[in-house]
Amino acid sequence: MYKSRWRTNFIFLKMINVLITPQAFTYLPPNTTKSLFGDNYTLHFTGGQVESSSDLIDYLQGMDACLIGSETINESILQNVPKLKFLSRFGVGYDSLNIKDLNKFKVQASIVQNINNEAVARHCLSLLLGITNNITTQNTTLSRSIWDKGLNISPEHTTVGLIGMGPVAKEFAKMCKFLGFNVVYFSRTKKEVPYTYFNTIESLIKNSDIISLHLKCTPETTNIIDTFYLDLMKGKYLINTARGKLVNETYLHKLLYEKAILGAGLDVFTYEPSVRISSQIRTLPNVISTCHMAAYDSYSISQVATQAINNIKYFFDNKLNKINTLVTNV
């Protein structure tokens, strides 16, 4: 009898080790994260994205779960961290997670949906207005004591074409329409939205002045914006807050450098943190770039953090039906 009670107490008091990598957690009040988890969890912070696989493997040693950012998780990682049971993605995208490998190693994973749509849409709008109002160009020239007003782009005569019409695109479209932009869109199926629909990406680009990407990154959509579509964007502008891998960045760099594509507003890159061709793109004078932080506003961070933490707690409390949203099938 005594032995049985001891085992019960031991299980209850066993600490669950969680690694937390997103930089967003450095912006939260010091005790907030700990209080959201509760007493049964021991937290380990990296302070930001872990860039190398070997470093990530080292960090994950002894971890039961990981609240993860954009780090790549695949077989080469999973085979070296046998204690890992659960990944809670800080955000909605999971193209960095190899679902097949996670299922193979019986590691569950979740994402957080429908919380930061408005924050990302506002960032899209900021990039759009940065382009149409020449904000970056004006800031650069004026900092050099060059007084050259230039000419802004009027919303009333500008068409914004959205490739994809998911939750973020819908919020962004409403903002654009409110400011007087004409809005058109492409999607695999026509949606119940008050905007002109094009059933091909080609026709969408041809009828737009500024193209904004709102697609998930999957094997089917990787490099979907290829040389053919980029050539169609000559004389136009590109905005991307979705995923860098949607675009052939090498050819995008060429056309931006030649100013064939007039400019771009980019929050995402093929290589993050920006290295190789991605780092060359962000230094071009006709590019407004931010470091994959469209969803990083104070409200969204706290809401996504709370849900991502709850997903971990639901997993270890065996309440899988409450998780937002499981992407594995273990």
Side-chain angles (χ1 to χ4, degrees):
M1 185 71 176
Y2 175 78
K3 187 175 182 180
S4 175
R5 283 202 305 269
W6 181 86
R7 283 182 176 174
T8 301
N9 289 338
F10 176 78
I11 293 170
F12 177 76
L13 294 173
K14 182 181 178 182
M15 301 300 287
I16 298 168
N17 285 288
V18 180
L19 179 69
I20 299 175
T21 71
Q23 186 181 358
F25 283 85
T26 65
Y27 303 128
L28 297 176
N31 295 323
T32 297
T33 304
K34 179 60 181 174
S35 63
L36 286 171
F37 268 102
D39 294 333
N40 291 344
Y41 292 84
T42 301
L43 308 182
H44 308 261
F45 296 87
T46 65
Q49 183 169 334
V50 182
E51 297 185 26
S52 78
S53 296
S54 59
D55 287 344
L56 185 57
I57 289 170
D58 288 342
Y59 276 119
L60 285 170
Q61 294 306 309
M63 296 297 118
D64 300 292
C66 180
L67 202 163
I68 196 163
S70 299
E71 292 87 353
T72 297
I73 298 292
N74 53 28
E75 183 171 13
S76 66
I77 301 288
L78 296 169
Q79 65 186 358
N80 290 291
V81 289
K83 193 179 178 186
L84 187 68
K85 302 178 185 69
F86 190 73
L87 292 172
S88 179
R89 172 78 173 84
F90 186 82
V92 66
Y94 57 97
D95 49 292
S96 58
L97 307 181
N98 188 310
I99 302 302
K100 181 180 178 181
D101 291 345
L102 287 168
N103 288 331
K104 175 182 176 181
F105 285 88
K106 300 187 184 307
V107 176
Q108 293 271 41
S110 67
I111 58 174
V112 177
Q113 290 187 311
N114 300 322
I115 290 180
N116 55 13
N117 298 333
E118 290 185 5
V120 178
R122 283 193 297 270
H123 199 82
C124 292
L125 184 65
S126 298
L127 294 174
L128 173 65
L129 295 179
I131 289 170
T132 59
N133 286 18
N134 290 300
I135 300 298
T136 301
T137 303
Q138 283 288 296
N139 182 67
T140 300
T141 56
L142 200 54
S143 67
R144 297 172 181 169
S145 299
I146 300 172
W147 191 270
D148 183 7
K149 292 184 179 181
L151 190 65
N152 293 338
I153 300 171
S154 169
E156 289 78 9
H157 302 97
T158 303
T159 296
V160 179
L162 311 184
I163 299 180
M165 186 47 77
V168 171
K170 288 177 181 176
E171 294 294 335
F172 181 46
K174 286 191 290 186
M175 296 175 185
C176 291
K177 198 69 176 178
F178 178 80
L179 292 177
F181 291 95
N182 181 42
V183 177
V184 299
Y185 76 100
F186 160 82
S187 183
R188 286 179 296 179
T189 57
K190 190 174 182 179
K191 309 296 184 183
E192 293 295 324
V193 292
Y195 315 114
T196 301
Y197 172 67
F198 289 98
N199 61 5
T200 67
I201 294 176
E202 179 179 356
S203 58
L204 181 283
I205 294 174
K206 287 180 177 178
N207 287 278
S208 302
D209 302 299
I210 300 172
I211 296 91
S212 185
L213 304 184
H214 300 275
L215 298 173
K216 293 180 180 179
C217 187
T218 66
E220 293 73 31
T221 61
T222 296
N223 269 335
I224 190 171
I225 306 302
D226 56 14
T227 56
F228 174 75
Y229 290 132
L230 288 170
D231 276 331
L232 291 178
M233 292 185 195
K234 290 177 180 178
K236 305 174 188 289
Y237 297 87
L238 174 67
I239 295 172
N240 188 7
T241 57
R243 283 294 185 269
K245 291 180 181 178
L246 296 173
V247 183
N248 181 328
E249 280 194 339
T250 300
Y251 198 59
L252 174 62
H253 176 270
K254 177 180 183 295
L255 295 185
L256 284 168
Y257 180 80
E258 296 170 352
K259 297 185 179 178
I261 292 179
L262 300 179
L266 307 174
D267 182 55
V268 289
F269 302 88
T270 298
Y271 303 103
E272 297 180 5
S274 292
V275 294
R276 288 179 270 188
I277 192 65
S278 298
S279 64
Q280 296 176 43
I281 287 177
R282 69 179 184 180
T283 61
L284 294 173
N286 53 344
V287 172
I288 303 173
S289 58
T290 53
C291 55
H292 201 154
M293 46 79 67
Y296 271 48
D297 70 21
S298 55
Y299 176 77
S300 292
I301 282 177
S302 65
Q303 294 300 301
V304 174
T306 299
Q307 185 60 66
I309 289 169
N310 284 341
N311 283 347
I312 293 174
K313 295 171 70 176
Y314 289 144
F315 174 79
F316 286 102
D317 289 342
N318 199 28
K319 298 177 180 178
L320 301 188
N321 61 312
K322 291 190 174 184
I323 291 176
N324 173 7
T325 300
L326 277 175
V327 294
T328 45
N329 186 27
V330 176

